[in-house]
């Protein structure tokens, strides 16, 4: 285990134990790992999102970039205006039939490895809009890695999606080159947050009184 | 003063088919289609105190309507709604069309602003307008078959088969989106010089949503801008024909999605007009307070993103923080941030929570001095001024000609605020000023909005100090089911309670329009009830639609960076354009 001498955010002048020995210096500077894990670690900690939004959800996605939520904490603040430089596309909003070919074109312009977050009820399933001009879920024509429920989801919920995606990206194995190793992408199984958090949620017995603030 | 109905009777007696009574008490006249251009020309140019604004143009598919009460026979009815500022009055003209393949003379010769409205009616109803310069679909894809607002067109996507996007369809749709100057009525040359075309959007960070603009350029100079809209068409009007009166409210939230409860406002008031529902004072003041809070929150998003469009990075972070403060209050009161769905027909969903005064006071204290700080940072910044002063200029006359309302109209120096001129929900009892600009440029539009935030804060403060006691929702039989205790005592009440909570209320047949001074401009709902549990026709007259149509007029001759300033200063929301 590598030993980091990071300072404490609340106490930057804190004294850190150590003796600056050769052994310690080596521990701080040398890491043994394999190439795959190293690359996955890099990928998961710097996901570059595509600056792309469809409707209301995009406003909440943009809010997650601003100070109170601060997406930079998770290394995903490098918003790119062009799909060619982006790793991740957030389908933030309603998927319109008129827009679907454009969305697909933009997705195809992203370079692999690429990921898709479906943000909000509309992108997940059409949501409230079972109407002639709306595609009933973006997964009708794009592969989706993480679904975020809500209409629109709070910025916090979007940040949780980023964390989930980070986990997935970190566990993904991809070929390192077109000649070395197996060539397929192995993605971890998607987790159902309902199953995962259900027992904890069921323990909640008190619901906030709407008459109080 | 002679009423407009009698003036029209004197002038066009043979042409008037019928005079209809409506719940909103607007004069409503049925006119023969072949004379509509003359009548509109007369109303705009010749009559005393003219109707200068084509406020709305839409249609009704009459084929399934049951209660028409002596209205002339019609298959499709085209509705023109005009606004006279001198008279401070609306006027509605209706034209019956009996053919299955209806057509009507275009009124673009009288109002160029009719252009997009007629295209919309053609697209959604299939009514053709003869003499229209460019009658193409506007909201639906060019490859679409059918006209969605016809009663025979399916409403649900799930009725239309699963959506698939095979490569062949992808290619076909991409081909249909290709820009061909000839088809769009644009020349490739200007005075011997070859022009350049630039495609902006539908995905572009500067367009604030999925909007496509094609720029016709002579070097850096914009010769013309052609907006291509409809990428955000969510069928909100068709939705109204299927949802019950109450369950449509959440859909209104999502029309101008930055305006929150402000969108509920005109809808519930229009329904209340149809049902003759009086609402308690407390509900009125709560509505005003929350709407003004949303006006501030919406303007803050505009302020931050506008500054960002012009290259300033910091403001957007500060303003989104302030918006968070406003949304925290909204959340504590309504339980949601952006789409609270909080107004109800007859009042609001719930009474204010205990301790709301502290929250509102907290926001007022917090926000009061912020704007002064931003004035220094943005409005007095020389680069910001250089980018906005004298850019995108238009006059009051032009604004009225093109149907511009809200801050965009007031920035030209014309003091017209519907909260003052046609007060609703008790606005007449509040003290606030109507800020105006002088030059009608991007800078003045910004000034007006910033001052509006200060005035909104004043209104919120007055709401806080003068909140009436009493009910938060009317006890009218249409709005509120009978009290639960009583349902256990007699069968009649039980039945009413059951019907009310399962089917919802049935609004008596009639027509009503109601509009409010919303965040972007005047937002109105024109509803037709047919003694049913849902609306027969819901028309949303959103302000951003005419504002976007006006953008080419005010962008010509400027450069591309100026266009970004103009788009930012117009302050539109895509869902408010395409609905």
């Amino acid at each position: 285990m590598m030993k980091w001498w990071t300072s404490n955010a609340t106490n930057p002048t804190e004294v850190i134990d150590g003796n600056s020995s050769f052994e310690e210096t080596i521990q701080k500077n040398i890491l043994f790992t394999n190439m795959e894990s190293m690359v996955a670690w890099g990928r998961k900690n710097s996901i570059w999102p595509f600056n792309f939004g469809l409707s209301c959800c995009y406003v909440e996605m943009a809010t997650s970039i601003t100070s109170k939520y601060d997406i930079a904490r998770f290394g995903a603040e490098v918003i790119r205006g062009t799909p060619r430089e982006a790793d991740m596309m957030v389908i933030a909003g309603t998927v319109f039939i008129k827009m679907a070919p454009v969305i697909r074109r933009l997705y195809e312009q992203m370079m692999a490895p690429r990921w898709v977050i479906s943000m909000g009820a509309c992108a997940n399933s059409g949501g409230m809009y079972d109407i002639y001009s709306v595609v009933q879920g973006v997964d009708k024509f794009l592969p989706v890695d993480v679904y975020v429920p809500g209409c629109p989801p709070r910025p916090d919920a979007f940040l949780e999606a980023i964390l989930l995606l980070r986990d997935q990206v970190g566990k993904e194995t991809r070929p390192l080159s077109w000649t070395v190793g197996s060539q397929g992408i192995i993605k971890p199984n998607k987790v159902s947050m309902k199953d995962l958090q259900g027992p904890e949620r069921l323990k909640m017995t008190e619901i906030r009184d709407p008459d109080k603030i | 003063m002679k009423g407009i109905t009698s003036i029209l009777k004197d002038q066009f007696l043979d042409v008037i088919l019928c005079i209809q009574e409506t719940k909103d008490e607007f004069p409503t006249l049925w006119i023969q289609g072949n004379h509509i251009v003359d009548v509109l020309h007369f109303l705009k140019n010749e009559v005393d105190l003219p109707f200068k604004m084509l406020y709305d143009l839409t249609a009704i598919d009459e084929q399934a309507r049951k209660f028409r009460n002596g209205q002339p026979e019609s298959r499709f009815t085209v509705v023109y709604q005009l606004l006279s500022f001198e008279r401070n009055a609306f006027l509605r003209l209706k034209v019956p069309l009996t053919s299955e393949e209806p057509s009507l003379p275009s009124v673009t010769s009288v109002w160029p602003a009719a252009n997009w409205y007629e295209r919309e009616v053609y697209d959604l109803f299939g009514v053709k307008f003869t003499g229209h310069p460019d009658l193409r679909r506007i909201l639906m894809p060019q490859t679409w078959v059918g006209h969605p607002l016809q009663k025979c067109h399916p409403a649900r996507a799930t009725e239309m088969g699963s959506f698939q996007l095979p490569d062949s369809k992808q290619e076909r749709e991409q081909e249909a989106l290709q820009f061909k100057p000839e088809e769009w009525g644009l020349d490739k040359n200007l005075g011997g010089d070859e022009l350049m075309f630039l495609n902006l959007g539908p995905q572009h960070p500067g367009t604030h949503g999925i909007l496509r603009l094609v720029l016709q350029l002579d070097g850096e100079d914009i010769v013309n801008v052609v907006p291509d809209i409809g990428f955000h068409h969510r069928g909100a009007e068709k939705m109204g024909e299927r949802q019950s009166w109450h369950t449509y409210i959440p859909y209104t939230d999502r029309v101008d999605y930055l305006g929150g409860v402000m969108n509920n406002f005109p809808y519930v008031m229009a329904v209340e007009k149809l049902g003759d529902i009086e609402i308690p004072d407390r509900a009125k003041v709560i509505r005003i307070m929350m709407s003004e809070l949303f006006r501030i929150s919406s303007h803050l998003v505009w302020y931050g993103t506008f500054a960002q469009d012009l290259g300033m990075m910091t403001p957007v972070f500060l303003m989104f923080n302030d918006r968070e403060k406003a949304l925290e209050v909204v959340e504590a009161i309504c339980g949601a941030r952006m789409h609270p769905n909080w107004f109800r027909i007859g009042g609001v969903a719930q009474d204010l929570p205990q301790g709301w005064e502290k929250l509102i006071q907290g926001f007022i204290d917090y926000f009061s001095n912020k704007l002064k700080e931003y004035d220094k940072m943005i409005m007095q910044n020389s680069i910001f001024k250089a980018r906005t002063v004298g850019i995108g200029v238009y006059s009051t006359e032009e604004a009225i000609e093109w149907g511009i309302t809200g801050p965009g109209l007031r920035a030209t120096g014309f003091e017209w605020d519907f909260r003052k001129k046609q007060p609703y929900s008790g606005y007449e009892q509040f003290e606030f000023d109507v800020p105006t600009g002088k030059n009608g440029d991007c800078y003045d539009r910004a000034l007006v909005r910033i001052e509006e935030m200060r005035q909104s804060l004043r209104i919120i403060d007055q709401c806080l100090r003068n909140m009436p006691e009493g009910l938060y929702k009317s006890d009218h039989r249409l709005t509120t089911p009978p009290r639960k205790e009583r349902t256990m005592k007699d069968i009649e009440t039980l039945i009413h309670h059951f019907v009310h909570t399962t089917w919802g209320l049935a609004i008596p047949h009639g027509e009503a329009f109601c509009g409010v001074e919303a965040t972007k401009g005047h937002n109105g709902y024109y509803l037709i009830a047919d003694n049913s549990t849902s609306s027969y026709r819901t028309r949303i007259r959103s302000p951003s639609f005419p504002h976007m149509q006006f953008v080419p007029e005010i962008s010509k001759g400027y450069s591309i960076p100026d266009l970004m300033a103009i788009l930012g200063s117009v302050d539109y929301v895509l869902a408010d354009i395409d609905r």
Side-chain angles (χ1 to χ4, degrees):
Chain A
M1 188 62 201
M2 204 183 335
K3 193 177 176 192
W4 293 98
W5 281 1
T6 45
S7 55
N8 188 332
T10 53
N11 184 10
T13 55
E14 190 188 23
V15 178
I16 297 160
D17 292 335
N19 52 15
S20 299
S21 66
F22 179 71
E23 198 181 341
E24 257 184 20
T25 315
I26 292 290
Q27 273 180 353
K28 265 196 309 174
N29 288 293
I30 296 180
L31 169 78
F32 288 102
T33 180
N34 59 28
M35 192 63 176
E36 256 177 7
S37 325
M38 182 73 188
V39 171
W41 176 81
R43 274 185 187 141
K44 85 175 219 190
N45 285 299
S46 75
I47 296 173
W48 290 12
F50 177 29
N51 189 2
F52 169 76
L54 290 162
S55 39
C56 333
C57 284
Y58 180 69
V59 183
E60 291 295 59
M61 180 192 155
T63 307
S64 76
I65 300 164
T66 59
S67 326
K68 185 175 165 187
Y69 301 97
D70 194 10
I71 202 170
R73 292 180 293 158
F74 313 114
E77 80 281 20
V78 192
I79 311 288
R80 299 283 90 183
T82 158
R84 293 170 210 280
E85 292 174 355
D87 302 321
M88 174 188 68
M89 186 174 187
V90 184
I91 308 294
T94 315
V95 183
F96 305 92
I97 286 179
K98 190 169 178 178
M99 194 65 189
V102 182
I103 296 173
R104 184 168 145 187
R105 174 79 166 259
L106 290 166
Y107 175 76
E108 283 165 356
Q109 285 177 342
M110 280 166 60
M111 291 231 285
R114 57 192 174 187
W115 297 278
V116 173
I117 291 182
S118 162
M119 181 179 183
C122 288
N124 294 345
S125 68
M128 291 166 66
Y129 289 94
D130 181 3
I131 196 85
Y132 57 89
S133 58
V134 173
V135 180
Q136 303 299 296
V138 71
D139 52 9
K140 292 266 187 295
F141 62 96
L142 281 192
V144 173
D145 294 284
V146 180
Y147 295 87
V148 195
C151 188
R154 303 175 57 93
D156 325 69
F158 174 65
L159 291 181
E160 192 180 6
I162 294 278
L163 290 176
L164 286 170
L165 185 70
R166 270 167 46 107
D167 277 356
Q168 279 191 33
V169 171
K171 287 178 194 150
E172 230 174 71
T173 49
R174 286 174 175 272
L176 288 173
S177 87
W178 57 89
T179 51
V180 183
S182 61
Q183 291 299 301
I185 302 165
I186 303 161
K187 290 199 177 197
N189 289 335
K190 285 197 191 104
V191 290
S192 155
M193 296 309 279
K194 190 183 165 194
D195 297 346
L196 221 59
Q197 294 182 343
E200 192 59 31
R201 285 175 186 158
L202 283 176
K203 282 186 202 152
M204 189 168 78
T205 50
E206 276 177 41
I207 294 171
R208 191 180 71 86
D209 178 4
D211 292 328
K212 298 207 182 84
I213 52 170
Chain B
M1 190 176 72
K2 211 169 167 187
I4 190 65
T5 316
S6 47
I7 295 176
L8 280 175
K9 266 186 180 166
D10 292 349
Q11 198 79 16
F12 294 101
L13 188 61
D14 307 337
V15 172
I16 299 173
L17 296 167
C18 162
I19 294 170
Q20 188 192 338
E21 301 245 319
T22 55
K23 281 280 182 188
D24 50 23
E25 290 169 1
F26 295 168
T28 303
L29 290 90
W30 288 76
I31 306 281
Q32 281 176 12
N34 45 356
H35 290 96
I36 188 67
V37 178
D38 301 337
V39 175
L40 289 181
H41 181 83
F42 171 77
L43 285 166
K44 185 187 176 195
N45 301 314
E46 287 164 25
V47 74
D48 271 350
L49 311 174
F51 287 81
K52 282 288 181 195
M53 185 184 275
L54 176 71
Y55 178 79
D56 193 14
L57 193 169
T58 185
I60 307 161
D61 179 1
E62 306 268 12
Q63 67 172 316
R65 198 159 162 197
K66 296 194 186 96
F67 298 89
R68 298 194 63 240
N69 295 39
Q71 296 168 31
E73 192 190 326
S74 175
R75 173 69 176 79
F76 292 97
T77 306
V78 177
V79 185
Y80 302 82
Q81 189 172 333
L82 313 181
L83 172 61
S84 165
F85 292 95
E86 284 92 342
R87 290 170 188 264
N88 190 13
F90 284 103
L91 168 67
R92 186 182 293 128
L93 301 179
K94 288 183 167 187
V95 172
L97 300 169
T98 47
S99 161
E100 279 294 319
E101 281 180 14
S103 83
L104 187 71
S106 162
V107 299
T108 43
S109 56
V110 185
W111 269 289
N115 188 322
W116 276 24
Y117 286 108
E118 288 182 351
R119 279 179 68 188
E120 189 189 352
V121 170
Y122 164 68
D123 190 0
L124 302 181
F125 289 92
V127 176
K128 290 210 170 76
F129 291 89
T130 49
H132 189 285
D134 183 25
L135 198 65
R136 286 181 299 129
R137 285 189 184 273
I138 185 165
L139 295 177
M140 302 308 294
Q142 300 299 332
T143 51
W144 195 262
V145 180
H147 302 281
L149 283 188
Q150 287 187 358
K151 290 283 174 185
C152 50
H153 191 283
R156 290 178 183 270
T158 42
E159 289 167 40
M160 297 167 60
S162 176
F163 177 84
Q164 282 166 344
L165 193 57
D167 290 346
S168 56
K169 186 176 178 189
Q170 169 80 5
E171 270 167 37
R172 195 169 66 239
E173 294 292 332
Q174 286 289 344
E175 178 61 30
L177 282 172
Q178 282 294 316
F179 170 68
K180 299 188 187 88
E182 319 78 62
E183 283 177 18
W184 294 45
L186 294 172
D187 285 334
K188 282 182 178 167
N189 297 294
L190 180 79
D193 291 338
E194 197 183 337
L195 296 174
M196 192 174 91
F197 293 97
L198 183 70
N199 180 63
L200 205 84
Q203 153 57 25
H204 189 278
T207 55
H208 296 220
I210 41 179
L211 165 74
R212 183 183 181 204
L213 299 166
V214 172
L215 313 186
Q216 189 184 26
L217 299 165
D218 183 8
E220 265 279 285
D221 298 333
I222 295 173
V223 178
N224 204 353
V225 180
V226 187
D228 182 13
I229 63 170
F231 293 98
H232 203 296
H233 179 59
R234 247 185 322 209
E237 294 183 4
K238 187 92 172 174
M239 199 56 98
E241 298 171 14
R242 145 178 140 205
Q243 296 297 115
S244 72
W245 293 97
H246 255 135
T247 58
Y248 185 63
I249 298 173
Y251 290 92
T252 64
D253 271 331
R254 289 156 179 79
V255 172
D256 163 14
Y257 50 68
L258 295 175
V261 299
M262 184 81 91
N263 295 284
N264 305 161
F265 215 157
Y267 173 71
V268 294
M269 282 203 299
V271 181
E272 283 155 10
K273 259 188 203 173
L274 284 169
D276 292 317
I277 300 160
E278 281 289 314
I279 74 157
D281 287 342
R282 187 175 174 86
K284 285 184 183 169
V285 179
I286 295 176
R287 282 180 181 180
I288 288 181
M289 185 172 82
M290 297 316 289
S291 298
E292 294 301 329
L293 201 58
F294 263 105
R295 190 187 307 278
I296 292 176
S297 139
S298 167
H299 280 4
L300 279 171
V301 174
W302 157 80
Y303 203 179
T305 51
F306 183 42
Q308 198 188 23
D309 285 343
L310 300 175
M312 299 170 94
M313 196 66 197
T314 318
V316 73
F317 286 93
L318 297 170
M319 280 145 200
F320 266 68
N321 273 354
D322 296 348
R323 174 174 174 264
E324 281 301 317
K325 299 274 182 210
L327 290 187
E328 277 166 22
V329 180
V330 170
E331 200 183 343
I333 294 178
C334 312
R337 285 158 59 88
M338 278 177 73
H339 303 322
N341 171 30
W342 204 58
F343 289 3
R344 291 290 181 274
I345 299 161
V348 292
Q350 210 177 341
D351 207 354
L352 294 168
Q354 296 152 18
W356 66 273
E357 298 95 336
K358 221 169 77 188
L359 286 173
I360 297 279
Q361 188 63 53
F363 178 74
I364 295 174
D365 294 344
Y366 168 81
F367 191 59
S368 295
N369 291 319
K370 288 279 170 187
L371 285 172
K372 215 180 284 169
E373 197 183 315
Y374 300 151
D375 276 348
K376 261 189 219 152
M377 185 196 297
I378 300 166
M379 297 308 283
Q380 292 164 23
N381 180 310
S382 56
I383 300 173
F384 181 85
K385 280 187 171 169
R387 293 287 308 273
T388 54
V389 175
I391 305 293
V393 186
Y394 56 85
S395 67
T396 310
E397 288 71 35
E398 283 175 284
I400 291 173
E401 178 77 29
W402 286 89
I404 308 302
T405 50
L409 177 61
R410 292 190 283 275
T412 63
F414 185 38
E415 194 185 316
W416 188 276
D417 188 318
F418 282 90
R419 291 175 294 175
K420 286 274 188 205
K421 300 289 180 183
Q422 301 180 4
Y424 49 90
S425 193
Y427 264 112
E428 65 278 8
Q429 297 178 32
F430 288 86
E431 279 176 16
F432 63 98
D433 300 326
V434 178
T436 54
K438 283 195 195 82
N439 309 317
D441 57 6
C442 292
Y443 189 78
D444 278 16
R445 288 195 279 282
L447 272 183
V448 167
R449 286 200 187 91
I450 291 157
E451 190 52 35
E452 269 187 18
M453 286 196 262
R454 293 202 175 91
Q455 298 303 326
S456 291
L457 214 54
R458 258 177 89 185
I459 298 173
I460 294 172
D461 187 48
Q462 290 167 51
C463 292
L464 173 65
R465 284 186 285 104
N466 304 299
M467 181 62 71
E469 292 296 321
L471 294 172
Y472 63 89
K473 197 174 173 199
S474 148
D475 238 350
H476 194 285
R477 64 179 178 83
L478 284 177
T479 64
T480 317
R483 302 251 170 253
K484 188 72 189 161
E485 312 85 77
R486 282 178 49 206
T487 58
M488 298 306 169
K489 300 224 168 90
D490 63 287
I491 186 73
E492 193 70 8
T493 325
L494 181 65
I495 290 171
H496 277 288
H497 192 280
F498 180 75
V499 167
H500 214 294
T501 41
T502 49
W503 296 346
L505 60 158
I507 293 286
H509 61 87
E511 299 181 14
F513 169 88
C514 193
V516 297
E517 188 68 45
T519 57
K520 315 274 181 289
H522 198 234
N523 185 11
Y525 279 71
Y526 172 44
L527 302 177
I528 297 179
D530 204 27
N531 269 12
S532 155
T533 50
S534 52
S535 139
Y536 183 80
R537 167 95 174 96
T538 304
R539 164 68 180 164
I540 308 168
R541 191 280 184 187
S542 58
S544 300
F545 185 79
H547 292 181
M548 183 45 64
Q549 183 176 207
F550 191 41
V551 163
E553 301 302 314
I554 55 177
S555 307
K556 285 173 190 170
Y558 295 103
S559 62
I560 302 171
D562 294 335
L563 177 69
M564 291 297 128
I566 292 170
L567 287 175
S569 76
V570 168
D571 186 26
Y572 54 87
V573 158
L574 260 297
D576 201 38
I577 300 177
D578 298 341
R579 290 150 288 146

